[in-house]
Amino acid sequence: MRKIIIVGNGMVGYKFCEKFVSQEQSENFEITVFGEEPRPAYDRVHLSEFFENQDAKALEMAPASWYKDNGIDLIVDERVSDIDKTNKTITTAKDRVFPYDYLVLATGSSAFVPPIKGVEKAGVFVYRTIEDLEGMLAYASKIKAKNPQAKAAVLGGGLLGLEAGKAVMDMGLEPHIVEFASKLMPRQLDSRSSQVLQLKLESIGLNIHLSKATNQILGDDAITGMEFGEDDVLEVEMLVISAGIRPRDELGKTCGLDMGIRGGIVVDNRMKTSDENIFAIGEVALYNQMIYGLVAPGYDMAGIAVNQILGNDSLMAETIDMSTKLKLIGVDVASFGEPFMPASKGHSVIFENKTQHLYKRINVSLDGKKLLGGILIGDATDYNMLHQVFLNEMAIPEDPAQLILPLSEGGAAFGSVLDLPDTAQVCSCESLSKGAICGAITDGNCESLSDVIAKTKATTGCGGCKPMVVDLVNETLKSLGKEVKDTICEHFNYNRQELYDLIKVGRVADYNETLDKFGNGHGCEVCKPLVASIFATVTMETANRQPGIQDTNDRFLANIQRNGTYSVVPRVPGGEITPTQLIVIGQVAKKYDLYTKITGGQRIDLFGAQVHELPLIWKELIAAGFESGHAYGKSLRTVKSCVGSTWCRYGMHESVTFAIEIEKRYRGLRSPHKFKGGVSGCIRECAEARGKDFGLIAVDGGWNLYICGNGGATPKHAVLFAEQLDDATAIKYLDRFLMYYIRTAGPLVRTAPWLDKLDGGIAYLRQVIIEDALGIVDDLETEMQGLVNKYECEWKQAVESEEIMKRFKHFVNSDDTDDTIEFVTMRDQKMPKAW
């Protein structure tokens, strides 16, 4: 048998193995893989997720048993130190010699460490491997024990640097990003998009330092700071270097392979080096004078090398698509095609909203007929379709701005994904076209999304293609006349809307009866909270009646925090609160030693309550006129308001009074997902009503009603629904809209994506809600009024019931409290001690 040796067991090295063993001819080869790390290949793209649970196995591409099952000899924790091209052997650092017929170099890259004085000091790390992260965690614990307010810096404001910034935040350190260039992500973003990204990152706690050249790292044995100039010093106790990568090409140099001037092993379009029997793939390969640092090109290179070894003639594409979509610290960032466009080559269309941290730029040809590239910050929902339009040179609207404008501002919805050509590449990580994904269904082999994923491996790389793959699968199944049904779980063969109707029409009283009549088995953590939500929206049943089917937050009527304590958020309708109530909140917080913070919804959040303290706190708040704010439930959170005409000289209507009326009307109303409202007294929009699930803005002649917006991870502007409404009509339309959403939305679907998927969109919704096209508006109004009339405060229910009070204890068989909870001081308050 011919022998293949793969040097490097990273993502690309693993992908070579996976692609190779899937071929029939692979049985004629003996494969040995060397990895210098002590574990099998793992997912570096999602490396920062290691901080969530510190479980290295969760990141594994495949367990060690996979290699054995596929006849691959995996040797870890052993570095290859030399290649003898003449005798076709490799030597390891343990002086072991192995022969090969074909050698595949997949050694990847290492972190570039700038030659800065003091870089060798304790507390300076690179961000590259799990071992690096483990070292960072240990050091962070050490410095936080001495200083709970310890600071850490990241050197580098590129993709990896911002990921490292998230890691620093996750470790509970004050994060600082230090970048030599004048903007973040200088290779991917233009100046304006970089500014929007910077604003967003600063709003969530990152400190950004641009145009900083580090002269030296201060400290004796350990780092104490970074010096940029004579009087320019940043005091930090830890530094993470993420200033770029360098190819691990030392084996190529020592054995005499052709090398690039700046590094990298030169390869042709067959992935062959200057030696006919040696291939290089991934970040060590210099192809077209470029090192490609993305996963997708590396996977393509692995496939080409596999085909060449097996005698199949396939070549690497001349141009490599460097388009990418990422979520950096919860912020969507994407670029495709040519993100930067000289005026001589085309025109740019830009949409920017700094208040929502949104930036969208597309570049079009001079004749306005082709999409050439673009940048998306804050909302990359349309990335997949825009990318396809660019790749396949599809026609664009006469006004290209429609591609990026919100629907409410003249934007145009994209057509069906089935309109894409079969050759359109959907999953770049696995080089899968639309035709390959749809073909998996049309050839009869697959009947569901999970079947398609198992057969094609679509979505298993970076995951960015999943929304499009889901749409392709659903649309293809529909085109074949097959039912596409998003069932709740294995216990209920219904979607949420169907089960809602069955419970309502059948007048089912509890979960067990629902399971007996319409389901099977014993239920699970998916269907139980969903059914609880349906009961709440059919009968206004509170979470206290069936605690066993609620999730943790609803069960204890409070949000559980990362150290096992809870937060308490009393309702403050419209943001209006009396001085007496403010004093009571302060007294309660002081009495129970709670961390206090003003929320974005004009309320006060009290953190750090133990479970047995919750009813005691509620009792005191209720006595002062407060009630549950339902911050823990999939329900109405807040209706934010400005002071309106009561105080403001620009106010056109009394926004506070109307916001209070609306919030009190819908308080406690459970729904498929949380929802929020806003009421602004004029078009200056101080209540940010257009960033809410519903919003009212005062204009001449009444209120303009906007619906289906939201902030969060995927911000959406609310869409103008109706104009110049009086108070009664506005509430009538809101009743109908919310009730229709509650009836028809899927589980955990907010109003914005619900509207995006609604056939007919906003025009159809107007027909249903305003024109009564379905003849149901009377029913919607009656149902809503019934729910409004049945409202009860869940906190009050709990403190007045001895039976419910028994639930609020740490141990079922003891009244002891949890003495393992630890706090540390932070700015004259407390915070949970880091894990």
Side-chain angles (χ1 to χ4, degrees):
M1 296 178 71
R2 284 174 290 176
K3 292 180 170 60
I4 299 174
I5 288 180
I6 302 157
V7 182
N9 188 222
M11 295 177 72
V12 173
Y14 163 78
K15 186 57 64 173
F16 176 92
C17 295
E18 183 188 86
K19 287 177 179 285
F20 199 92
V21 299
S22 68
Q23 305 295 318
E24 288 184 11
Q25 307 101 302
S26 65
E27 296 177 356
N28 301 319
F29 293 83
E30 185 180 292
I31 302 176
T32 303
V33 181
F34 286 90
E36 66 178 357
E37 292 187 55
R39 54 177 56 83
Y42 55 89
D43 184 355
R44 285 190 210 275
V45 173
H46 297 100
L47 187 61
S48 63
E49 294 177 12
F50 179 74
F51 289 98
E52 294 176 11
N53 48 31
Q54 296 176 39
D55 181 6
K57 287 198 172 294
L59 291 173
E60 279 185 358
M61 306 291 288
S65 58
W66 178 87
Y67 296 85
K68 185 177 181 182
D69 293 343
N70 285 281
I72 299 171
D73 185 14
L74 173 64
I75 301 174
V76 298
D77 209 13
E78 187 164 356
R79 181 175 58 85
V80 173
S81 58
D82 188 51
I83 299 170
D84 183 340
K85 294 187 299 180
T86 305
N87 295 309
K88 294 171 71 172
T89 62
I90 61 100
T91 304
T92 74
K94 296 180 180 179
D95 288 328
R96 297 202 294 166
V97 178
F98 295 80
Y100 68 82
D101 293 294
Y102 296 104
L103 182 63
V104 180
L105 300 178
T107 47
S109 61
S110 59
F112 169 64
V113 179
I116 301 171
K117 183 181 178 182
V119 77
E120 74 288 346
K121 296 183 190 300
V124 179
F125 298 87
V126 294
Y127 185 79
R128 195 67 184 157
T129 69
I130 287 177
E131 284 68 39
D132 294 332
L133 270 57
E134 288 173 335
M136 289 161 59
L137 282 165
Y139 197 83
S141 295
K142 177 181 170 184
I143 61 176
K144 283 194 297 180
K146 297 179 181 177
N147 177 15
Q149 280 80 45
K151 301 176 184 177
V154 175
L155 185 62
L159 291 173
L160 292 175
L162 296 181
E163 279 291 324
K166 180 182 186 304
V168 168
M169 290 184 73
D170 289 343
M171 287 186 288
L173 301 171
E174 182 181 304
H176 293 258
I177 304 290
V178 177
E179 168 58 43
F180 176 76
S182 60
K183 62 182 181 179
L184 295 173
M185 295 180 63
R187 291 189 177 183
Q188 290 84 11
L189 303 182
D190 59 15
S191 295
R192 291 177 67 172
S193 60
S194 183
Q195 287 171 10
V196 172
L197 178 62
Q198 180 177 345
L199 286 172
K200 177 62 178 176
L201 296 179
E202 287 174 337
S203 74
I204 59 178
L206 264 74
N207 300 280
I208 311 294
H209 309 267
L210 301 175
S211 302
K212 296 290 185 183
T214 307
N215 292 338
Q216 65 172 320
I217 294 169
L218 305 175
D220 295 327
D221 297 324
I223 180 174
T224 59
M226 302 168 69
E227 182 196 293
F228 308 118
E230 188 172 334
D231 297 313
D232 192 0
V233 172
L234 175 64
E235 294 182 356
V236 293
E237 293 163 75
M238 188 165 120
L239 173 63
V240 181
I241 296 177
S242 185
I245 60 171
R246 291 292 181 268
R248 290 285 307 274
D249 57 7
E250 55 269 27
L251 285 173
K253 290 177 183 174
T254 56
C255 78
L257 295 176
D258 288 353
M259 307 294 294
I261 295 173
R262 295 186 176 183
I265 300 173
V266 175
V267 295
D268 60 18
N269 57 4
R270 299 169 299 165
M271 295 299 104
K272 287 189 176 183
T273 67
S274 54
D275 185 295
E276 186 72 14
N277 300 303
I278 301 178
F279 297 79
I281 58 178
E283 292 173 333
V284 73
L286 184 70
Y287 178 61
N288 287 341
Q289 298 301 310
M290 280 278 292
I291 296 290
Y292 295 95
L294 297 178
V295 170
Y299 283 3
D300 287 343
M301 292 176 181
I304 298 297
V306 166
N307 287 331
Q308 289 293 326
I309 290 173
L310 294 176
N312 303 322
D313 191 22
S314 63
L315 302 174
M316 193 72 180
E318 284 299 314
T319 57
I320 306 296
D321 180 22
M322 295 297 285
S323 303
T324 185
K325 174 188 172 187
L326 303 161
K327 190 174 281 290
L328 292 171
I329 321 180
V331 183
D332 278 351
V333 177
S335 67
F336 62 95
E338 294 191 47
F340 313 115
M341 178 61 61
S344 59
K345 192 171 181 180
H347 303 296
S348 295
V349 181
I350 295 173
F351 171 80
E352 184 174 9
N353 183 340
K354 286 186 177 178
T355 62
Q356 294 287 320
H357 302 117
L358 289 176
Y359 178 89
K360 299 182 181 184
R361 167 180 173 165
I362 55 172
N363 302 317
V364 299
S365 58
L366 290 170
D367 61 9
K369 293 182 178 180
K370 284 185 182 179
L371 181 62
L372 302 180
I375 297 170
L376 304 172
I377 303 291
D379 177 15
T381 308
D382 294 330
Y383 166 78
N384 284 322
M385 283 303 297
L386 288 169
H387 189 210
Q388 292 301 330
V389 171
F390 156 70
L391 287 176
N392 298 287
E393 298 187 354
M394 296 167 68
I396 62 176
E398 189 173 332
D399 178 8
Q402 292 181 334
L403 292 172
I404 56 173
L405 282 175
L407 289 174
S408 59
E409 298 182 22
F414 290 102
S416 169
V417 286
L418 294 184
D419 295 337
L420 294 172
D422 284 346
T423 54
Q425 188 180 70
V426 174
C427 178
S428 58
C429 292
E430 296 293 337
S431 296
L432 291 169
S433 67
K434 172 211 164 188
I437 292 168
C438 296
I441 298 170
T442 55
D443 66 11
N445 289 328
C446 300
E447 294 187 351
S448 67
L449 176 65
S450 57
D451 289 347
V452 171
I453 292 173
K455 180 176 174 60
T456 67
K457 295 193 176 295
T459 78
T460 60
C462 70
C465 64
K466 188 168 185 179
M468 182 166 281
V469 172
V470 170
D471 287 345
L472 279 171
V473 170
N474 289 342
E475 293 301 315
T476 303
L477 289 170
K478 287 178 184 176
S479 72
L480 296 174
K482 296 184 179 182
E483 183 181 19
V484 178
K485 196 171 181 180
D486 189 14
T487 56
I488 294 167
C489 68
E490 64 192 68
H491 304 107
F492 290 98
N493 193 31
Y494 301 102
N495 61 31
R496 182 188 177 278
Q497 185 178 354
E498 290 168 337
L499 191 59
Y500 176 95
D501 292 336
L502 288 169
I503 289 173
K504 183 179 176 184
V505 173
R507 299 187 178 182
V508 179
D510 58 38
Y511 177 77
N512 289 332
E513 185 182 355
T514 305
L515 200 57
D516 292 340
K517 281 190 173 183
F518 311 121
N520 62 84
H522 301 288
C524 65
E525 70 277 5
V526 173
C527 62
K528 287 180 179 179
L530 184 144
V531 174
S533 172
I534 291 175
F535 280 125
T537 53
V538 169
T539 66
M540 204 62 173
E541 173 184 300
T542 70
N544 290 321
R545 182 172 173 268
Q546 299 185 73
I549 62 172
Q550 311 291 339
D551 64 22
T552 300
N553 289 346
D554 282 296
R555 180 180 173 85
F556 292 104
L557 311 180
N559 279 324
I560 192 168
Q561 303 302 321
R562 67 181 177 91
N563 67 339
T565 60
Y566 292 82
S567 63
V568 176
V569 187
R571 186 168 299 286
V572 182
E576 182 181 81
I577 189 168
T578 68
T580 301
Q581 288 178 316
L582 275 174
I583 290 169
V584 169
I585 287 179
Q587 290 171 335
V588 168
K590 199 168 184 180
K591 178 177 179 179
Y592 294 96
D593 190 21
L594 304 175
Y595 170 88
T596 58
K597 186 182 184 302
I598 307 294
T599 74
Q602 299 179 331
R603 305 197 287 192
I604 298 174
D605 209 337
L606 310 173
F607 290 85
Q610 295 197 41
V611 68
H612 70 280
E613 296 175 320
L614 291 173
L616 305 176
I617 293 169
W618 298 337
K619 211 175 266 189
E620 295 193 34
L621 292 173
I622 290 168
F626 290 106
E627 59 186 3
S628 169
H630 292 91
Y632 48 83
K634 299 294 182 279
S635 57
L636 175 72
R637 294 295 175 84
T638 63
V639 179
K640 192 173 181 179
S641 74
C642 64
V643 294
S645 59
T646 309
W647 290 94
C648 181
R649 66 186 188 276
Y650 299 112
M652 301 183 71
H653 293 304
E654 223 290 74
S655 52
V656 180
T657 299
F658 201 32
I660 292 171
E661 180 184 351
I662 293 170
E663 183 162 348
K664 286 187 173 180
R665 180 170 184 79
Y666 302 128
R667 59 188 170 180
L669 180 65
R670 290 301 208 278
S671 57
H673 209 305
K674 67 183 178 185
F675 65 102
K676 303 177 182 181
V679 182
S680 284
C682 73
I683 59 172
R684 285 170 176 79
E685 248 284 72
C686 294
E688 301 168 334
R690 293 185 63 196
K692 305 289 188 288
D693 297 273
F694 65 85
L696 292 149
I697 300 177
V699 294
D700 280 333
W703 302 96
N704 281 357
L705 173 60
Y706 294 81
I707 60 171
C708 299
N710 61 252
T714 308
K716 285 280 189 180
H717 257 126
V719 182
L720 180 61
F721 186 68
E723 298 181 82
Q724 296 179 311
L725 307 177
D726 58 32
D727 290 12
T729 305
I731 287 178
K732 179 170 66 176
Y733 286 174
L734 276 175
D735 281 358
R736 296 174 182 179
F737 157 64
L738 291 172
M739 206 66 234
Y740 189 62
Y741 161 66
I742 287 168
R743 278 188 178 189
T744 61
L748 301 179
V749 175
R750 288 198 71 172
T751 57
W754 168 73
L755 179 62
D756 286 343
K757 294 292 185 182
L758 188 67
D759 287 341
I762 192 68
Y764 172 74
L765 194 56
R766 287 195 187 100
Q767 292 172 356
V768 173
I769 301 304
I770 299 175
E771 300 169 21
D772 196 16
L774 300 180
I776 61 171
V777 296
D778 289 342
D779 291 341
L780 297 176
E781 290 176 25
T782 301
E783 285 180 40
M784 180 59 79
Q785 191 59 50
L787 295 175
V788 170
N789 294 340
K790 292 177 183 176
Y791 167 75
E792 287 185 80
C793 174
E794 293 175 326
W795 289 355
K796 193 169 186 290
Q797 269 188 344
V799 299
E800 291 178 351
S801 167
E802 291 185 12
E803 189 61 32
I804 295 175
M805 289 282 280
K806 293 176 182 176
R807 192 159 76 234
F808 295 92
K809 51 196 298 189
H810 285 281
F811 306 103
V812 295
N813 60 347
S814 170
D815 289 329
D816 290 347
T817 60
D818 187 350
D819 57 4
T820 64
I821 295 174
E822 295 182 85
F823 295 96
V824 293
T825 303
M826 180 179 70
R827 294 185 294 276
D828 298 325
Q829 293 202 76
K830 68 179 185 181
M831 63 169 282
K833 185 176 181 181
W835 293 331

